Amino acid sequence: MRHISLRVLFLAAAARLALAPPPPPPLSSNHKSVLILGGGVAGIIAARTLHEHGIHDFLIVEARTELGGRLRSKRFGADGRQATIELGANWIQGTQVGDGPANPILALARKHGLKAVESDFYESIVTYDETGPADYLDTFQKAVDSYTNLTIEAGARVQRQTVDSTCRTGYSMIGAKPKTPHEMVSEYYMFDWEYAQTPEQTSLIASSWANNFTYDPSEGGFSDSNLLSVDQRGFKHFVQSEARTFLSPDQTLFNATVRTITHLDNGVIVTLADGTTISSDYAITTFSLGVLQNDDVLFDPPLPAWKQEAIQSMTMGTYTKIFLQFEDKFWFDTQFALYADTERGRYPVWQNLDLKNFIPGSGIVFATVTGDYSERIEAMSDSEVKAEVLDVLQTMFPNTTIPTPTAFFFPRWFSDPLYRGSYSNWPSGFVSPQHKNVRANVGKRLWFAGEGTSQKYFGFLHGAYFEGLDIGTKIAKCVHSATCESLPFVEEITNGTPYLV
Ligand SMILES: Cc1cc2nc3c(=O)[nH]c(=O)nc-3n(C[C@H](O)[C@H](O)[C@H](O)COP(=O)(O)OP(=O)(O)OC[C@H]3O[C@@H](n4cnc5c(N)ncnc54)[C@H](O)[C@@H]3O)c2cc1C
Ligand SMILES: *[C@@H]1O[C@H](CO)[C@@H](O)[C@H](O)[C@H]1NC(C)=O
Ligand SMILES: *[C@@H]1O[C@H](CO)[C@@H](O)[C@H](O)[C@H]1NC(C)=O
Ligand SMILES: *[C@@H]1O[C@H](CO)[C@@H](O)[C@H](O)[C@H]1NC(C)=O
Ligand SMILES: *[C@@H]1O[C@H](CO)[C@@H](O)[C@H](O)[C@H]1NC(C)=O
């Protein structure tokens, strides 16, 4: 049975690849029931879900040499004084209130003994501007309230079934029109620092839903608190440990970069950068939206127009942390600091890791930039960026001679062909049926999962988790029964409803 269907599969593949068809792989060793493409949170949870459904004939194909994806840690610092820092995800965002709904990332972190500390976004913060220390916490507090009002304005629109708009329109409608550096940086902290794009670039309704479903228990969210991983095994520890509870070494293939995904009526053939081909009955693509947008992986035949249009219509934001280590700590004792530059988004948020319960004695402080500013600095050399950042520190601390840092590093997520940004964002003008299309399977064999396919939690670790779980469950059903239920998609979108409620 299987033998026959496989022959048909490879004949069909050869017919479609007009040029040199790949040699048929050794069928017995290179065929899997399910290929999971990408070993981030979505891929690992999809694998665990298959395992729990008694499906063990799967393979996780990952370009890097470890699992975790955008949970990416690095040893950083001068010789003899290194600490583990997080280049990617760092927080469990929204935890749990009482025995209410728990963020599944929190549950895994507890299970695997992850060391994480309460991050106090609103109380443990001091403010600076171009004159040095400057207390504008009252302006900051107003921006906190404005953000809440923005989500209420969005909810009212959902109620009235009006069209979506940008968050800039939303802010203006509630009377928040930041003009001064203090107002702009306060808004930035509440907005760009979360969505990695500006209010102009972001959907009012979708971003408010994402906020509420994560942070607002009265709206089905987990809690309004954030836990920062300071675990010296790396934040990835929780998901790598979870993987070890069920994965065997022959269920992962590392150092394996996918180049082409050939999807057919009866299966999938994946071609790696080194020319190896692997076939399967089903495949789940968990690559970031940015990877799908930039043709880093090719589909054969090309994805249908409805799928491509949807992928190109959602956006990928970039969130960049710039790490510095110094011999001695000379900065603030709070967890956070704001720096108000006349240019919005110029090295605005600073975080202190050299704190009791964090990474004491590490001498590490870092700045965050996002969106277009991230793209700008990725195009610059490290030393150019370092000079700018040290200049800002000198402005913040006018009476201190800023010493030479003992270490400096920032990751380039936007240029990295395995990510092409940090996480997805929902732009205004991107409508609900389009998001359905980002998520929908193409044919019966090719499926998609990852933070970007989550309507409620796009951008978050828990979004990736829930998508891996849901798509894994659907594929398990396909494997176990003759009928395989497809996700809905919309061939041609004519309806502008931003959210189907
Ligand atoms: C800087 C930054 C900060 C963040 N902060 C937070 C946070 O604090 N809290 C939070 O909840 N979320 C945060 N996120 C988002 C979170 O990290 C992601 O939502 C989540 O990790 C995505 O998981 P995923 O499985 O969908 O995708 P990924 O983790 O991207 O997994 C996909 C995998 O595919 C691999 N891959 C890509 N291309 C190929 C190829 N061609 N062949 C083979 N393998 C390939 C990648 O290496 C990767 O391992 C942050 C992300 C970044 C980058
Ligand atoms: C990955 O490839 C590199 C370079 O080709 C090699 O040095 C390394 O050992 C490989 N790692 C794994 C886990 O296969
Ligand atoms: C938020 O909305 C409330 C209720 O309408 C209002 O009293 C308050 O002034 C608003 N806050 C800001 C900062 O706009
Ligand atoms: C978000 O939550 C607030 C309550 O904090 C609610 O008033 C509003 O309607 C919600 N917004 C959306 C878009 O659901
Ligand atoms: C810096 O020094 C000047 C002159 O001594 C003083 O007036 C000012 O308050 C100092 N600023 C800070 C932030 O310590």
Side-chain angles (χ1 to χ4, degrees):
M1 234 325 239
R2 152 166 281 203
H3 198 71
I4 290 167
S5 70
L6 272 173
R7 286 213 177 286
V8 174
L9 187 133
F10 288 112
L11 285 174
R16 280 178 198 270
L17 290 168
L19 300 171
L27 298 185
S28 52
S29 66
N30 253 3
H31 187 89
K32 300 286 170 189
S33 178
V34 185
L35 282 175
I36 298 169
L37 306 176
V41 168
I44 295 165
I45 298 303
R48 191 188 68 184
T49 306
L50 294 177
H51 173 89
E52 284 167 352
H53 283 83
I55 298 160
H56 306 291
D57 182 25
F58 63 79
L59 183 69
I60 298 178
V61 180
E62 168 57 50
R64 291 177 54 223
T65 55
E66 65 171 354
L67 296 174
R70 282 172 262 173
L71 283 161
R72 191 165 187 178
S73 52
K74 177 184 166 68
R75 295 292 289 170
F76 169 78
D79 286 349
R81 200 187 177 206
Q82 297 205 321
T84 299
I85 55 167
E86 300 300 333
L87 307 181
N90 208 156
W91 284 286
I92 301 166
Q93 301 190 271
T95 53
Q96 186 178 24
V97 176
D99 57 4
N103 184 326
I105 304 300
L106 176 71
L108 283 181
R110 282 184 179 147
K111 177 177 171 187
H112 297 290
L114 186 87
K115 185 177 179 216
V117 290
E118 193 74 37
S119 211
D120 189 346
F121 284 23
Y122 306 114
E123 304 288 335
S124 188
I125 187 163
V126 282
T127 51
Y128 297 82
D129 66 16
E130 288 177 353
T131 66
D135 184 347
Y136 50 91
L137 287 171
D138 53 341
T139 303
F140 172 68
Q141 192 51 52
K142 243 194 213 148
V144 176
D145 295 344
S146 290
Y147 185 76
T148 304
N149 286 1
L150 185 74
T151 67
I152 296 170
E153 165 74 12
R157 286 187 179 225
V158 173
Q159 284 296 313
R160 297 199 308 270
Q161 302 195 356
T162 59
V163 293
D164 192 19
S165 72
T166 70
C167 286
R168 176 56 64 217
T169 303
Y171 267 130
S172 296
M173 293 304 287
I174 61 160
K177 299 173 180 173
K179 290 287 176 290
T180 67
H182 295 175
E183 290 167 347
M184 290 192 294
V185 78
S186 300
E187 179 194 76
Y188 175 97
Y189 185 77
M190 294 308 299
F191 198 91
D192 306 45
W193 191 53
E194 177 80 51
Y195 297 102
Q197 289 198 305
T198 62
E200 287 77 2
Q201 292 166 315
T202 305
S203 152
L204 173 60
I205 291 175
S207 65
S208 298
W209 278 51
N211 174 80
N212 284 4
F213 288 133
T214 289
Y215 293 119
D216 191 342
S218 72
E219 301 285 319
F222 307 118
S223 83
D224 63 2
S225 64
N226 292 279
L227 283 174
L228 183 82
S229 172
V230 288
D231 198 305
Q232 291 299 293
R233 297 166 293 190
F235 192 8
K236 65 193 176 188
H237 166 75
F238 82 83
V239 80
Q240 292 183 344
S241 298
E242 181 66 4
R244 276 193 290 275
T245 65
F246 69 90
L247 265 187
S248 67
D250 62 344
Q251 287 171 321
T252 51
L253 184 64
F254 289 116
N255 258 355
T257 303
V258 173
R259 276 282 170 266
T260 308
I261 302 173
T262 305
H263 50 114
L264 306 160
D265 291 342
N266 51 358
V268 174
I269 302 169
V270 166
T271 307
L272 305 181
D274 70 1
T276 309
T277 57
I278 315 166
S279 64
S280 64
D281 298 335
Y282 299 94
I284 314 177
T285 300
T286 72
F287 307 139
S288 76
L289 179 78
V291 167
L292 297 177
Q293 286 176 335
N294 285 285
D295 302 333
D296 294 303
V297 174
L298 297 172
F299 290 88
D300 180 44
L303 294 174
W306 60 263
K307 186 77 179 177
Q308 290 192 35
E309 193 272 344
I311 287 169
Q312 299 302 342
S313 298
M314 204 178 180
T315 46
M316 195 71 181
T318 305
Y319 184 104
T320 312
K321 298 183 246 187
I322 307 159
F323 295 91
L324 299 130
Q325 185 190 51
F326 292 95
E327 201 75 49
D328 298 302
K329 174 172 169 290
F330 59 83
W331 51 90
F332 46 93
D333 295 317
T334 49
Q335 297 179 19
F336 298 97
L338 285 183
Y339 165 67
D341 195 282
T342 36
E343 182 183 350
R344 190 182 185 281
R346 185 165 185 268
Y347 308 109
V349 181
W350 290 77
Q351 270 174 268
N352 181 11
L353 288 178
D354 195 342
L355 280 173
K356 188 166 162 274
N357 299 329
F358 282 57
I359 318 178
S362 62
I364 299 173
V365 64
F366 66 96
T368 300
V369 299
T370 55
D372 294 346
Y373 212 88
S374 291
E375 294 177 30
R376 171 185 173 268
I377 68 164
E378 284 199 21
M380 292 162 59
S381 72
D382 281 17
S383 59
E384 286 169 328
V385 175
K386 183 156 104 181
E388 287 192 353
V389 166
L390 290 176
D391 210 48
V392 166
L393 278 176
Q394 187 62 75
T395 305
M396 291 166 71
F397 302 96
N399 294 356
T400 308
T401 304
I402 305 299
T404 303
T406 51
F408 176 84
F409 183 80
F410 71 95
R412 288 176 166 82
W413 289 102
F414 177 71
S415 338
D416 188 333
L418 297 181
Y419 303 95
R420 302 285 184 198
S422 298
Y423 43 87
S424 64
N425 190 30
W426 190 302
S428 149
F430 181 67
V431 292
S432 210
Q434 283 171 307
H435 192 264
K436 268 200 165 67
N437 287 355
V438 168
R439 191 169 195 258
N441 49 305
V442 170
K444 296 284 185 197
R445 304 291 170 170
L446 179 60
W447 295 72
F448 295 81
E451 55 84 7
T453 66
S454 172
Q455 191 186 37
K456 282 176 148 180
Y457 313 108
F458 58 89
F460 292 114
L461 286 166
H462 46 281
Y465 180 102
F466 283 124
E467 290 300 292
L469 184 62
D470 193 51
I471 301 302
T473 305
K474 292 202 159 61
I475 291 185
K477 280 194 190 127
C478 296
V479 171
H480 284 312
S481 67
T483 57
C484 184
E485 205 186 308
S486 283
L487 290 169
F489 74 94
V490 183
E491 184 81 50
E492 188 159 43
I493 293 159
T494 52
N495 170 5
T497 309
Y499 266 101
L500 304 176
V501 276

